């Protein structure tokens, strides 16, 4: 069984695709997501084999969603769209396939064949995704997009990944790894990323570690492993 | 007593000549407000002749002449000022002087003085800003009265022997003063009446020309074609009274009305070299029938012999001509010539305007078609996908969806540029919304709140649908939370306001296709109702986007309000 995830903002479109997938008897549907935020969570949680992804979605579209997924956990992607095949053509070679709505069962069967081959060969898809400009964060029940320039530092703890800006601390569903890969933020500790633009002071400590004081007065630890990298970037 | 009768008789002959003068072209200068030097010279010659004639027609009395010489200089002074008066007086006076007699010198001097008096009265009246009073017969009468009184005084003073002079004055004073004053007054009244007639005629002609122009513009509102050309030619023919009128485009005669219409046929090629010249050189061609004669190239029997050909221009390009003809026996009136030229200029303006309007409408229409074509596929395929999904569980709803879809597209195809009612527009929008509400499910709810009395108001077709579509495509579908669209139409103090609000607040001016759609809707409303109506857009980011459509309240509703 191929472990699949559907991402589409229209309930009827999800239901229709779900019915089509079930009819083949080859898919195990892990979740059906109505937007990009839910999708990130679901991807991180379930690590599906394939993503049936709508392009036009609110706030985070299909392409943007892919740049929020950890490259190592990247599933195969099948875009599903009503009319944007022209936009997809540019992406086509990198994605596994694309389907046009309304989806025909015969066409889906072709996709399935292609998918099986690819999965058998164990190819991990790699998409050259654009750098992230804005990070989706949750703030209570609302979703907020934070400009990367405003982020001072990012850290993980037991409850998840947190973004710190001058004003607030927010949690995000993106992993530290994705943020390190797709943004200019620099890794300075196993659990920390730092935005060099906000570094106010670096205090070198015994044992080859250091401590960064940010402009808004927070301290960010630097481990021995990442200090050299930091020194190189700041050339000191 | 006999002398008075004689003098009055003589004056009558004088007035007949004066009357003939006012009917001649030489009188023309007097109809204008200010006199040029050439006109003054002409008046000098005329009034001097009158003065000399007055002396000639005079009656010998005791070695002197009882006469009406004074009328010339006094009127010349009154009309043309001191200089003209004195010049006329000197001429009349010198003539009298050389005729001899014991009053020769005194009469010569007094005639000059009479011209001067007329001139002084003229100057006083001009200074007081009462120029028109110069033509008042009463003033002419009083001025001549004074002048003749003065003459009698001068005769008494300068003529010798005194006794004879006294006797003479006793005999001629009363008849001459009376005859000259009355003569001057009557002469002036003839002049005044003639002036008034000219004025009246001018005013009448202007009024006629304006009315004609207005009617012609009305006809031309439908553009220049065979039908409107015929209507215009008929109108021009009737109003100007010329022999015939023709209207052509660059190649053929569009209409011909009047003499010779039996062989000058509408639809035939332009044959006349005059017309070709007018078109080629882009200038008015005039064959006055005397120096240059119009020869009909079609028939030898054609009665027409003079023609005016005025080009019709749009943007400096000749697109046709207006032609006025007169037959052999009639003179081509100057007035008709200037009327023809004026009308052609006016029509050229109007043609340019209507062409501009036409292009503007065409542009708005093609832009609209473009926008329609751009939006449709997205909507169509998503709608079809919705139907396919619904079909799995609810065939009735699927049928409804397809019926609405078909209804929506049928209306889309049918309505291109016309004006429709709010009711029709809402109907169109409802079909669209029925499908979109099914597609978005819980994510879209729409509230309609329309004053039922406004259902009949007019607006350009395809006004509401693009706005609703924008509210969904660029608004509600861009947010994760449930979206709401409020559509309302209500009366305001200044007319009707239709509001379309969504709770997304995602409008950005950079969105090109969005902006284009709004612009077209706005342009079409402004084309229909004028610049004070149309769209205004406001956006509170993250809160709401509001589009307001302002329309005028129909007059029929204003009275009820």
């Amino acid at each position: 069984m191929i472990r699949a995830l559907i991402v589409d903002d229209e309930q009827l479109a999800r239901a229709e695709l779900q019915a089509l997938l079930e009819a083949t008897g080859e898919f195990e549907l892990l979740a059906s997501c109505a937007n990009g935020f839910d999708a990130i969570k679901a991807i991180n949680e379930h690590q599906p084999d394939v993503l049936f992804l709508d392009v036009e979605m609110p706030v985070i579209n299909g392409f943007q969603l892919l740049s929020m997924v950890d490259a190592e956990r990247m599933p195969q992607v099948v875009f599903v769209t009503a009319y944007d095949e022209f936009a997809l053509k540019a992406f086509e070679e990198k994605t596994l396939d694309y389907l046009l709505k309304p989806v025909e069962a015969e066409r889906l069967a072709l996709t399935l064949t292609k998918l099986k081959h690819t999965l058998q060969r164990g190819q991990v898809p790699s998409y050259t995704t654009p750098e992230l400009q804005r990070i989706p964060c949750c703030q209570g029940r609302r979703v907020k997009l934070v400009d990367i320039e405003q982020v001072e530092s990012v850290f993980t703890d037991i409850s998840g990944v947190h973004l710190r800006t001058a004003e607030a601390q927010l949690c995000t569903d993106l992993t530290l790894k994705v943020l390190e890969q797709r943004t200019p933020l620099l890794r300075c500790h196993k659990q920390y990323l730092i935005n060099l633009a906000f570094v106010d002071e670096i205090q070198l400590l015994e044992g080859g570690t250091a401590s960064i004081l940010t402009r808004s007065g927070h301290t960010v630890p630097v481990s021995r492993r990442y200090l050299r990298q930091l020194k190189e970037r700041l050339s000191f | 007593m006999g002398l008075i009768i004689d003098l009055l008789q003589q004056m009558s002959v004088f007035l007949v000549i004066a009357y003939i003068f006012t009917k001649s072209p030489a009188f023309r200068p007097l109809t204008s407000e200010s006199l040029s030097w050439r006109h003054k010279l002409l008046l000098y010659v005329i009034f001097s002749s009158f003065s000399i004639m007055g002396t000639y027609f005079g009656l010998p009395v005791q070695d002197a002449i009882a006469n009406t010489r004074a009328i010339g200089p006094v009127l010349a002074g009154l009309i043309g000022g001191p200089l003209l008066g004195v010049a006329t007086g000197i001429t009349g006076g010198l003539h009298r002087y050389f005729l001899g007699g014991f009053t020769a010198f005194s009469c010569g001097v007094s005639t000059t003085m009479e011209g001067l008096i007329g001139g002084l009265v003229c100057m006083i009246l001009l200074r007081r800003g009462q120029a028109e009073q110069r033509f008042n017969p009463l003033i002419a009468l009083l001025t001549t009265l004074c002048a003749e009184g003065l003459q009698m005084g001068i005769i008494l003073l300068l003529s010798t022997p005194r006794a004879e002079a006294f006797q003479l004055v006793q005999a001629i004073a009363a008849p001459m003063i009376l005859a000259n004053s009355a003569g001057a007054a009557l002469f002036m009244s003839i002049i005044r009446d003639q002036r008034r007639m000219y004025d009246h005629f001018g005013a009448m002609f202007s009024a006629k020309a304006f009315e004609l122009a207005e009617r012609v513009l009305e006809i031309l509102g439908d553009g220049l074609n065979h039908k409107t050309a015929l209507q215009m030619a008929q109108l021009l023919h009737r109003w100007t009274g010329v022999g015939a009128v023709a209207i052509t485009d660059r190649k053929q005669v569009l209409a011909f009305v009047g003499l010779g219409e039996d062989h000058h046929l509408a639809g035939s090629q332009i044959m006349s070299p005059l017309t070709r010249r007018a078109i080629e050189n882009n200038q008015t061609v005039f064959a006055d029938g005397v120096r240059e004669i119009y020869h009909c190239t079609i028939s030898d029997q054609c009665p027409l012999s003079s023609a005016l050909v005025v080009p019709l221009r749009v943007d400096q390009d000749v697109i046709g001509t207006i032609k006025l003809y007169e037959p052999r026996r009639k003179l081509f009136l100057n007035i008709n010539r200037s009327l023809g030229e004026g009308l052609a200029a006016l029509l050229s303006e109007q043609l340019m305007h209507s062409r501009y309007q036409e292009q503007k409408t065409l542009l708005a229409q093609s832009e609209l078609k473009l926008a329609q074509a751009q939006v449709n596929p997205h909507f169509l395929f998503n709608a079809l996908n919705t139907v396919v999904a619904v079909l799995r569980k609810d065939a009735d709803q699927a049928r409804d969806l397809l019926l609405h879809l078909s209804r929506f597209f049928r209306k889309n195809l049918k309505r291109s540029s016309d004006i429709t009612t709010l009711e029709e527009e809402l109907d169109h929008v409802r079909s669209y919304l029925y499908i979109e509400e099914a597609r978005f499910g819980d994510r879209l709810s729409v509230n309609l709140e329309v004053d039922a009395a406004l259902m009949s108001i007019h607006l350009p077709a395809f006004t509401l649908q693009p706005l609703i579509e924008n509210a969904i495509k660029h608004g509600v579908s861009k947010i994760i939370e449930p979206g709401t669209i409020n559509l309302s139409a209500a009366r305001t103090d200044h007319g009707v306001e239709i509001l379309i609000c969504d709770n997304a607040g995602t409008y950005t001016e950079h969105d090109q296709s969005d902006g284009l759609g709004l612009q077209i809707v706005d342009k079409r409303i402004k084309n229909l109702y004028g610049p004070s109506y149309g769209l205004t857009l406001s956006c509170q980011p993250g809160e709401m986007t509001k589009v307001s459509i302002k329309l005028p309240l129909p007059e029929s509703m204003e009275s009820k309000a």
Side-chain angles (χ1 to χ4, degrees):
Chain A
M1 291 286 260
I2 301 167
R3 305 170 73 246
L5 200 70
I6 295 175
V7 187
D8 194 312
D9 62 328
E10 291 172 29
Q11 194 270 325
L12 287 168
R14 290 196 298 275
E16 171 64 14
L17 190 57
Q18 184 176 344
L20 286 168
L21 295 185
E22 279 166 2
T24 64
E26 306 259 9
F27 290 99
E28 179 196 346
L29 190 64
L30 301 168
S32 207
C33 306
N35 58 59
F37 301 99
D38 294 350
I40 294 163
K41 248 186 262 182
I43 293 165
N44 290 340
E45 190 186 329
H46 299 292
Q47 305 200 12
D49 299 324
V50 62
L51 209 58
F52 288 90
L53 183 56
D54 185 18
V55 180
E56 278 291 308
M57 287 188 298
V59 191
I60 302 171
N61 70 28
F63 300 122
Q64 289 165 334
L65 175 65
L66 289 185
S67 64
M68 295 174 185
V69 177
D70 185 346
E72 285 166 21
R73 298 180 190 170
M74 186 64 79
Q76 302 295 331
V77 177
V78 177
F79 276 118
V80 188
T81 184
Y83 188 62
D84 301 333
E85 76 224 61
F86 306 110
L88 285 178
K89 288 260 162 75
F91 223 79
E92 188 183 2
E93 289 167 22
K94 300 158 201 159
T95 49
L96 178 85
D97 202 357
Y98 66 91
L99 293 169
L100 290 175
K101 291 189 226 176
V103 178
E104 294 166 33
E106 293 78 12
R107 180 67 184 76
L108 181 63
L110 287 179
T111 305
L112 178 59
T113 315
K114 208 170 170 183
L115 188 58
K116 276 182 181 163
H117 280 297
T118 316
L119 289 175
Q120 265 167 18
R121 270 181 275 153
Q123 280 179 344
V124 178
S126 81
Y127 306 116
T128 39
T129 47
E131 281 217 330
L132 276 174
Q133 299 300 318
R134 301 195 298 168
I135 316 294
C137 298
C138 41
Q139 196 176 36
R141 281 186 59 89
R142 289 197 71 144
V143 173
K144 195 175 154 70
L145 288 167
V146 180
D147 273 341
I148 195 72
E149 284 90 15
Q150 290 177 348
V151 179
E152 268 194 11
S153 62
V154 182
F155 66 95
T156 56
D157 61 15
I158 216 152
S159 63
V161 181
H162 308 277
L163 253 67
R164 205 179 254 156
T165 66
E167 299 91 28
Q169 183 174 314
L170 307 117
C171 68
T172 176
D173 286 317
L174 301 194
T175 60
L176 211 58
K177 203 165 188 185
V178 167
L179 289 169
E180 189 189 359
Q181 283 166 357
R182 308 269 160 72
T183 69
L185 298 177
L186 194 75
R187 174 83 76 160
C188 61
H189 188 274
K190 199 178 159 197
Q191 286 169 282
Y192 285 88
L193 298 178
I194 180 78
N195 186 342
L196 292 179
F198 286 91
V199 173
D200 190 42
E201 211 181 282
I202 300 173
Q203 198 180 1
L204 294 171
L205 303 172
E206 282 174 38
T209 63
S211 173
I212 296 172
L213 195 67
T214 65
R215 292 214 176 141
S216 59
H218 290 99
T219 30
V220 175
V222 182
S223 65
R224 206 170 47 186
R225 190 176 158 199
Y226 294 104
L227 183 61
R228 227 180 74 196
Q229 190 184 331
L230 184 71
K231 279 182 173 177
E232 272 167 23
R233 283 292 294 274
L234 292 171
S235 42
F236 70 89
Chain B
M1 192 60 205
L3 192 59
I4 294 181
I5 301 292
D6 285 342
L7 273 178
L8 285 177
Q9 250 177 6
Q10 189 206 98
M11 191 192 72
S12 305
V13 176
F14 215 151
L15 287 177
V16 169
I17 296 171
Y19 179 74
I20 292 168
F21 157 67
T22 58
K23 292 286 175 195
S24 77
F27 176 73
R28 263 291 166 74
L30 279 181
T31 57
S32 60
E33 285 303 313
S34 58
L35 296 170
S36 69
W37 276 105
R38 196 186 295 178
H39 289 153
K40 281 192 174 174
L41 197 68
L42 184 70
L43 286 180
Y44 162 73
V45 173
I46 290 165
F47 283 115
S48 295
S49 324
F50 275 125
S51 185
I52 291 167
M53 271 192 294
T55 312
Y56 266 124
F57 295 150
L59 306 160
V61 178
Q62 303 169 21
D63 193 27
I65 306 164
N67 61 78
T68 52
R69 181 173 59 238
I71 295 175
V74 172
L75 293 189
L78 263 176
I79 294 167
L83 200 66
L84 188 63
V86 170
T88 311
I90 288 176
T91 313
L94 276 176
H95 171 255
R96 170 66 192 88
Y97 179 74
F98 289 120
L99 289 180
F102 82 103
T103 56
F105 179 67
S106 58
C107 281
V109 172
S110 63
T111 305
T112 309
M113 293 306 287
E114 284 175 314
L116 183 64
I117 286 175
L120 290 176
V121 171
C122 166
M123 243 166 70
I124 292 165
L125 289 173
L126 284 182
R127 280 208 187 138
R128 288 193 188 168
Q130 296 174 310
E132 209 39 46
Q133 286 296 318
R134 289 177 299 160
F135 298 99
N136 185 340
L138 189 64
I139 285 184
L141 184 116
L142 293 175
T143 310
T144 318
L145 202 77
C146 297
E148 280 294 282
L150 183 74
Q151 184 181 35
M152 294 307 147
I154 290 173
I155 291 173
L156 284 177
L157 213 67
L158 298 181
S159 306
T160 47
R162 288 284 160 84
E164 274 184 44
F166 186 70
Q167 234 180 348
L168 175 72
V169 168
Q170 228 178 3
I172 65 168
M176 267 183 66
I177 291 175
L178 195 68
N180 275 295
S181 308
L186 284 170
F187 195 158
M188 200 52 118
S189 119
I190 291 173
I191 292 179
R192 190 178 63 171
D193 289 350
Q194 200 64 22
R195 266 172 64 90
R196 279 189 185 160
M197 215 186 77
Y198 263 94
D199 277 356
H200 184 61
F201 185 63
M204 249 174 52
F205 183 75
S206 302
K208 183 169 136 176
F210 275 124
E211 201 178 329
L212 177 63
E214 203 174 313
R215 299 266 303 266
V216 164
L217 288 186
E218 244 169 61
I219 296 173
L220 204 64
D222 299 335
L224 187 63
N225 52 43
H226 279 284
K227 194 176 145 230
T228 55
L230 182 65
Q231 284 177 321
M232 266 192 294
Q234 283 167 341
L235 198 67
L236 279 170
H237 183 240
R238 197 160 11 139
W239 281 68
T240 57
V242 294
V245 174
I247 291 172
T248 76
D249 61 15
R250 283 187 68 97
K251 297 240 160 62
Q252 54 166 332
V253 179
L254 292 176
F256 191 101
V257 177
L259 297 169
E261 62 187 1
D262 53 334
H263 60 275
H264 291 272
L265 298 172
S268 59
Q269 294 292 306
I270 293 175
M271 302 294 282
S272 155
L274 293 177
T275 312
R276 286 198 188 141
R277 211 197 313 163
I279 291 172
E280 269 160 36
N281 301 344
N282 191 0
Q283 66 182 24
T284 302
V285 173
F286 181 50
D288 60 1
V290 183
R291 269 166 294 177
E292 188 175 358
I293 294 168
Y294 165 77
H295 290 291
C296 179
T297 45
I298 306 168
S299 163
D300 295 338
Q301 305 301 311
C302 187
L304 303 171
S305 79
S306 54
L308 173 75
V309 189
V310 196
L312 284 171
R313 303 182 182 99
V314 173
D315 268 346
Q316 293 309 309
D317 296 329
V318 181
I319 60 146
T321 63
I322 292 186
K323 300 161 78 173
L324 305 183
Y325 302 90
E326 286 289 16
R328 236 159 255 129
R329 61 194 149 76
K330 250 177 90 185
L331 201 67
F332 204 109
L333 289 179
N334 261 328
I335 256 175
N336 282 337
R337 187 182 170 181
S338 49
L339 182 75
E341 287 174 333
L343 268 178
L346 188 73
L347 291 186
S348 299
E349 285 277 315
Q350 176 67 16
L351 280 170
M352 201 159 88
H353 183 68
S354 57
R355 184 175 282 193
Y356 170 69
Q357 284 291 350
E358 198 179 316
Q359 282 172 348
K360 229 170 56 174
T361 338
L362 274 178
L363 189 70
Q365 271 178 33
S366 61
E367 278 176 353
L368 179 72
K369 287 229 172 82
L370 192 74
Q372 269 173 276
Q374 275 174 349
V375 290
N376 282 341
H378 256 284
F379 169 70
L380 177 62
F381 291 119
N382 278 313
L384 288 175
N385 194 47
T386 304
V387 174
V388 166
V390 168
L391 203 51
R392 284 188 190 272
K393 45 180 188 167
D394 190 344
D396 285 339
Q397 201 203 343
R399 188 189 301 109
D400 279 349
L401 279 167
L402 281 176
L403 291 175
H404 274 289
L405 188 63
S406 121
R407 189 185 174 123
F408 171 77
F409 272 105
R410 204 184 299 285
K411 289 204 165 181
N412 250 17
L413 292 175
K414 201 171 75 181
R415 308 188 313 166
S416 53
S417 66
D418 29 294
I419 292 158
T420 183
T421 60
L422 181 59
E423 192 171 12
E424 279 268 324
E425 274 293 286
L426 286 173
D427 201 34
H428 189 207
V429 160
R430 267 193 212 104
S431 291
Y432 179 79
L433 282 173
Y434 186 85
I435 295 159
E436 292 294 69
E437 280 182 297
R439 181 182 154 203
F440 285 102
D442 299 341
R443 289 176 57 208
L444 171 65
S445 58
V446 181
N447 302 317
L448 251 90
E449 205 175 307
V450 177
D451 183 346
L454 295 176
M455 284 301 190
S456 59
I457 62 165
H458 290 99
L459 65 173
F462 227 88
T463 296
L464 294 187
Q465 198 275 334
L467 300 178
I468 292 285
E469 187 171 335
N470 274 342
I472 293 175
K473 196 172 159 192
H474 303 291
V476 170
S477 79
K478 297 278 185 203
I479 57 170
I480 287 171
E481 308 91 76
T484 310
I485 294 175
N486 292 311
L487 170 60
S488 67
R491 244 183 254 191
T492 64
D493 295 344
H494 308 291
V496 177
E497 188 178 40
I498 302 175
L499 282 178
I500 296 164
C501 296
D502 65 60
N503 66 334
T506 46
Y507 175 81
T508 50
E509 278 185 32
H510 312 292
D511 208 321
Q512 287 256 323
S513 61
D514 194 4
L516 184 68
L518 292 180
Q519 260 178 35
I520 298 169
V521 173
D522 184 48
K523 203 190 294 179
R524 294 172 77 229
I525 293 173
K526 286 188 161 61
N527 272 354
L528 180 66
Y529 286 125
S532 48
Y533 299 98
L535 296 194
T536 37
L537 194 140
S538 57
C539 178
Q540 290 176 309
E543 296 289 326
M544 64 141 206
T545 303
K546 181 167 85 177
V547 180
S548 154
I549 309 169
K550 261 177 73 183
L551 300 170
L553 194 68
E555 276 168 34
S556 57
M557 287 189 193
E558 264 169 20
S559 51
K560 278 189 252 165

